[in-house]
Amino acid sequence: PDVVVGGGGYVSWAPVFTAWLLGTPRLITELDSHMGLANRALAPLATRVALSFAIRGREGGKYFLAGRPLSRELLEATAEAGRRKFGLRDDRQVVLVSGGSLGARSLNLACVEAFGVPSLPFQLVQVSGRRDYEMVRQALHERGADPENYHLLDYTVDLPLATAAADLVVGRSGASVLEVAALGKPALLVPYPHATADHQLKNAEWMVAAGAAEVVLDSELSGTLLKQKVEELLGDRERLAAMAGASAGLGRRDGGGIIADEIFAMAGR
């Protein structure tokens, strides 16, 4: 190859290391605000390092801030298309609750406790993850949850559309916060407490500092608190709009292009 690109996972170590041995140009990408083990090992050997977040001590030289490469599906997602996809009405606010592909049990349980009621004043889309889906579905059935406004999904490949449709996003704060910001969405974030170097809290604080999000610690999360926070944010449309503007100001939509340009430059084109 003319250039070898490592995506940060453990399997990237061998090809990037081999490229260093062969003298082939090497670029690695880091999606989080804390460099993973493979990237920490490879950074001294890399020709260029593309960062999604600014990381202290990783500035200048080989390091450059690109933002996260984003899919075309996300970049082209609109609120109108998202509402059509999930059968959501235009005259009610939408809250998206998602804990990642596996789901987040504490968030799922708090969501059921907070919003598993016969009548909701807004529309809720909850992506529970396949692990917790049956548990959540049964709990909602027992509580007589609003079937018209509480939309439970185990998983969706159309999360960009669900995010675009939302007036408020509730979820963990992995690298997905960059996607939330790219779509200019306000967020209520519950960082995963066992993330390496607590990087999910750092990601959340990045949004909070800009005025784009609020944070609830996982240890403090409850149905009562979640209900209170969501209702406060939805009820203050002026603040919600300001948070959306702050989120859009953070969002970078050109990360893929920046990295692609760098790869072509390294290849001598």
Side-chain angles (χ1 to χ4, degrees):
D2 296 299
V3 180
V4 171
V5 180
Y10 72 92
V11 294
S12 68
W13 192 89
V16 176
F17 179 72
T18 304
W20 174 73
L21 292 175
L22 297 173
T24 304
R26 307 152 305 281
L27 181 143
I28 60 174
T29 62
E30 177 55 62
L31 296 182
D32 285 311
S33 56
H34 173 78
M35 292 194 81
L37 180 60
N39 275 348
R40 292 202 304 275
L42 290 171
L45 312 180
T47 311
R48 298 285 277 159
V49 181
L51 301 176
S52 297
F53 296 89
I55 300 177
R56 183 174 297 179
R58 308 274 183 179
E59 305 101 350
K62 67 177 67 179
Y63 298 94
F64 66 102
L65 184 62
R68 185 179 188 179
L70 300 170
S71 70
R72 180 174 297 173
E73 288 78 11
L74 184 130
L75 293 173
E76 295 179 353
T78 65
E80 294 77 14
R83 290 188 178 230
R84 283 197 305 272
K85 176 67 181 178
F86 293 96
L88 302 169
R89 294 158 47 186
D90 293 330
D91 60 345
R92 285 201 175 193
Q93 292 170 296
V94 176
V95 176
L96 170 65
V97 178
S98 175
S101 58
L102 291 178
R105 180 153 297 172
S106 59
L107 191 54
N108 284 333
L109 293 174
C111 190
V112 170
E113 181 186 344
F115 307 120
V117 294
S119 180
L120 267 181
F122 58 87
Q123 299 171 103
L124 176 70
V125 177
Q126 181 183 6
V127 185
S128 66
R130 290 173 176 147
R131 178 192 61 189
D132 290 349
Y133 175 77
E134 281 301 323
M135 175 191 71
V136 173
R137 185 191 65 77
Q138 182 63 30
L140 291 175
H141 175 72
E142 292 172 356
R143 294 172 66 96
D146 186 340
E148 181 180 354
N149 293 309
Y150 200 126
H151 303 263
L152 175 66
L153 307 171
D154 60 351
Y155 179 78
T156 177
V157 296
D158 294 307
L159 192 60
L161 285 174
T163 305
D167 296 286
L168 175 66
V169 175
V170 181
R172 294 299 198 195
S173 51
S176 60
V177 297
L178 296 166
E179 298 178 352
V180 173
L183 288 172
K185 298 298 175 178
L188 178 62
L189 300 173
V190 185
Y192 178 59
H194 306 298
T196 306
D198 211 11
H199 72 262
Q200 286 212 6
L201 180 59
K202 296 174 185 174
N203 294 352
E205 289 172 342
W206 172 74
M207 290 196 76
V208 170
E214 281 196 15
V215 172
V216 172
L217 297 181
D218 193 83
S219 59
E220 300 173 355
L221 181 65
S222 67
T224 301
L225 182 58
L226 180 62
K227 183 175 186 290
Q228 174 192 331
K229 291 287 187 181
V230 168
E231 289 181 349
E232 284 177 357
L233 290 170
L234 292 183
D236 190 343
R237 291 179 182 258
E238 185 175 329
R239 184 181 175 209
L240 205 63
M243 290 173 68
S247 183
L250 281 177
R252 300 189 63 152
R253 299 171 61 87
D254 56 352
I258 291 171
I259 293 172
D261 287 344
E262 189 68 27
I263 292 168
F264 283 125
M266 291 170 66
R269 298 190 184 182

